[in-house]
Amino acid sequence: MRSWFRRRAPAAVPIDAALWRAASAKWLFLRGLSAADHERLRALCERFLGAKRFAGTHGLEVTPAMRVEIAAQACILVLELGIEWYEGWTDVIVYPSQFMPEREEMDEAGVVHLTRDPMAGEAWLGGPVILSYEDVALSGDAKARIAGYNVVIHEFAHKLDMRNGDPNGFPPLHRGMDAREWKRAFSAAFTDFTARVEAAERLPGKRAQAALDALPIDPYAAENASEFFAVASEAFFETPELLAPAYPDVYAQLALFYRQDPAARLP
Ligand SMILES: [Zn+2]
């Protein structure tokens, strides 16, 4: 009896139908989702809200609408996987805008530097997800959004990647998936993409930015394998029409992993 109580899932927090409609109407990643899937996503969000604790910083009040927006973006990743994939941690911390944590970083010469880089989001192994709400809202803003940019999907993809330890672009794969196929698809795409980013950066002045903007996914993906997976996940849900033709093998592996085919949902 005691263990049953301990293991019982936290109570779901009901989401008002009007609030759900308002919070979910504007997001690209919901394009083409059937009414039945919308309902399943809402139910998943209700469980997510029951399991996670939200806190704002710098006086930010995380309103019910903000919670639902964040939940919807986080839960699209696990719509076919289950909320259990987000077990093992509790807190979602929301900054009003980008934040600048002080970090000590050691360079190749072994010298430790104190850095302060502006960040839109962060995901900690076994710890919180941290988000800048300005960036969260950007992905839902039809006029201001940058194609493929979604900080919530990005950070929660890191969380899935961390299900088997430090993020490395290699989340736990499902039975029937082939780890060698995953590795082959992702390393080939990463090598190709990194070369394209480097070629773009070598161009003079404005042409460099134009070439970077024309890439099928965010150039930040060239950072490392873990960032490539997180950025590819953003593109998979936000702009599958760009990712699928550019890197079909990566798209196919992500479709197996997320058990969804967002490109096929598009009209
Ligand atoms: Zn990242």
Side-chain angles (χ1 to χ4, degrees), residues 119 121-123 154-155 158 220 223-224 226-228 230-231 234:
M119 302 185 80
E122 247 191 333
H154 182 103
E155 299 308 333
H158 280 317
Y220 186 58
E223 200 78 5
N224 56 47
S226 144
E227 296 306 338
F228 190 89
V231 169
E234 287 176 77

Side-chain angles (χ1 to χ4, degrees), residues 180-190 228 249-250 253:
R180 286 162 306 179
E181 284 294 301
W182 180 277
K183 199 165 180 191
R184 200 186 50 72
F186 276 87
S187 353
F190 181 73
F228 190 89
D249 294 347
V250 164
Q253 289 298 313

Side-chain angles (χ1 to χ4, degrees), residues 34-55:
S34 72
D37 284 346
H38 247 279
E39 246 342 280
R40 284 198 302 125
L41 182 65
R42 179 166 86 155
L44 207 59
C45 288
E46 292 178 334
R47 292 180 60 196
F48 180 89
L49 294 179
K52 301 299 176 216
R53 192 166 52 204
F54 286 78

Side-chain angles (χ1 to χ4, degrees), residues 3 5 11 16-18 22 25 48 60 71 98 107 130 154 160 186 204 208-209 213 231 234:
S3 79
F5 272 117
D16 172 74
F48 180 89
L60 177 73
Q98 295 206 347
D107 68 15
I130 308 170
H154 182 103
L160 300 179
F186 276 87
Q209 194 52 52
D213 290 345
V231 169
E234 287 176 77

Side-chain angles (χ1 to χ4, degrees), residues 80-81 85 171-178 255-259:
E80 305 301 337
L81 305 181
W85 280 69
L173 304 181
H174 312 302
R175 197 180 307 197
M177 288 184 71
D178 186 338
L256 289 173
F257 176 66
Y258 289 114
R259 294 179 168 148

